[in-house]
Amino acid sequence: MSLDKRYDFVYFFDVKDGNPNGDPDAGNLPRLDTETGRGLVTDVCLKRKVRNYVGLAKGEKPPYEIYIKEKAVLNNQHERAYEALKIDLSGDAGKRKGGDKVEDARKWMCQNFYDIRTFGAVMSTGVNCGQVRGPAQLTFARSVEPVVASEHSITRMAVTTQKEAESQSGDNRTMGRKFTVPYGLYRCYGFISAPLAKQTGFSEDDLALFWESLHNMFEHDRSAARGLMSAQRLVIFEHSSLMGNAPAQELFDRVKADRADKQGLPARDFSDYAISLDGKALGAFKTVVHV
């Protein structure tokens, strides 16, 4: 069943002694807003974790296949759509890379790939499957307060090559560096468009799986680099109409993240913060507000 309501949401997650989203162009340092010192996590990073969770939970089976995944060859996925629809690409239609069958191929891709009907995709490369605007969108996550990137020297008691071993006379050590954020609470905003959901076939079941992913995705994304990352609070504003009943920013302003400890000490745990809605503390992970 397709959506008939708009949703806006605020999502809080935190990191302890880890790097939530390293920047490969900056030596994998945690991403920062250089003017304010607040930490950043990209929307692409968060979508990746949703994709990974859905892939694990649903076993990569239609209608929950994942389009953007590790080692995927996207043009091969486009060809699958035409093969499934029994459309011959060797003739005139093939010369036009899909011809008048592009819309049929686009629908097939939406039906089979969860992340396409959720986040959208540009599928006009190679064999043309069109473009999809996804109903679910996320902003960059930004830390509630400035964070500090700590640098650590690390030692590996092994070397990669025999030449390195000989140069160290058998000592066989490799030095490296690791960057972590001691603690950071991050706040992200999200939007679910009902009209776009109707176009892609994004359903109530898909939406429930999306909320489930936000709750559990960090539990299946552990690594030495990311430390302890946890989903903490999700505030969902459920509108009563297709187009919505209030501007998203007005709703987001009702959610506050304040320091519980007023002594000015650095935050090192989620308990150092108080998350509230309209002045009332939120204790459960998910809160649904009807607008």
Side-chain angles (χ1 to χ4, degrees):
M1 182 176 176
S2 186
L3 302 188
D4 58 0
K5 300 175 183 177
R6 186 182 116 195
Y7 295 85
D8 301 301
F9 61 92
V10 186
Y11 180 52
F12 291 93
F13 62 91
D14 63 357
V15 60
K16 187 181 294 186
D17 297 324
N19 185 349
N21 187 199
D23 185 347
D25 290 329
N28 211 43
L29 278 164
R31 296 178 190 270
L32 291 175
D33 178 337
T34 55
E35 293 184 314
T36 65
R38 299 198 179 212
L40 298 174
V41 173
T42 67
D43 60 322
V44 174
C45 175
L46 296 174
K47 289 177 180 178
R48 173 78 273 142
K49 297 180 195 310
V50 171
R51 287 182 168 104
N52 289 347
Y53 178 83
V54 171
L56 287 172
K58 296 298 185 179
E60 287 278 356
K61 301 285 181 62
Y64 299 104
E65 285 195 70
I66 299 300
Y67 176 68
I68 302 292
K69 60 184 177 182
E70 187 175 3
K71 299 180 181 179
V73 180
L74 302 183
N75 285 352
N76 291 350
Q77 305 286 40
H78 303 172
E79 292 176 4
R80 282 180 56 202
Y82 284 88
E83 291 171 0
L85 295 168
K86 295 181 170 49
I87 298 171
D88 183 8
L89 291 174
S90 61
D92 291 340
K95 293 176 183 177
R96 298 194 302 275
K97 295 184 178 180
D100 57 359
K101 301 299 183 181
V102 170
E103 180 60 21
D104 293 338
R106 189 192 74 84
K107 289 180 180 178
W108 188 91
M109 296 294 284
C110 285
Q111 289 168 358
N112 284 272
F113 292 93
Y114 178 84
D115 56 335
I116 292 178
R117 65 177 179 272
T118 303
F119 301 128
V122 176
M123 302 176 291
S124 52
T125 60
V127 177
N128 188 4
C129 288
Q131 299 185 25
V132 176
R133 284 186 63 196
Q137 297 301 330
L138 299 166
T139 67
F140 275 34
R142 180 179 293 269
S143 66
V144 172
E145 293 184 298
V147 297
V148 176
S150 301
E151 182 178 357
H152 312 275
S153 294
I154 55 177
T155 306
R156 183 177 67 183
M157 304 303 293
V159 292
T160 305
T161 66
Q162 183 63 32
K163 183 178 180 180
E164 289 179 279
E166 292 171 357
S167 69
Q168 295 186 30
S169 301
D171 193 28
N172 291 15
R173 293 173 183 266
T174 304
M175 301 299 294
R177 295 184 302 166
K178 182 176 183 178
F179 298 98
T180 65
V181 171
Y183 183 79
L185 176 64
Y186 290 76
R187 175 174 181 151
C188 171
Y189 302 112
F191 317 89
I192 308 289
S193 166
L196 291 179
K198 291 183 180 299
Q199 293 178 22
T200 70
F202 184 80
S203 67
E204 293 282 357
D205 288 343
D206 290 331
L207 181 62
L209 181 57
F210 181 69
W211 300 141
E212 178 186 323
S213 299
L214 294 182
H215 194 184
N216 297 317
M217 63 189 188
F218 294 117
E219 304 301 324
H220 301 274
D221 190 57
R222 305 297 185 193
S223 77
R226 282 185 280 279
L228 178 60
M229 293 190 69
S230 305
Q232 295 292 0
R233 295 292 184 272
L234 175 62
V235 182
I236 302 168
F237 293 98
E238 180 182 294
H239 298 255
S240 61
S241 67
L242 190 76
M243 302 303 293
N245 305 95
Q249 190 58 58
E250 289 184 7
L251 302 176
F252 296 155
D253 287 344
R254 295 167 59 184
V255 181
K256 305 295 184 184
D258 299 310
R259 286 293 294 271
D261 179 4
K262 303 298 184 180
Q263 299 179 18
L265 298 174
R268 288 296 181 267
D269 192 82
F270 181 64
S271 62
D272 292 330
Y273 291 93
I275 310 299
S276 62
L277 170 67
D278 298 332
K280 297 180 180 179
L282 298 178
F285 168 73
K286 185 168 78 171
T287 301
V288 179
V289 182
H290 298 284
V291 181

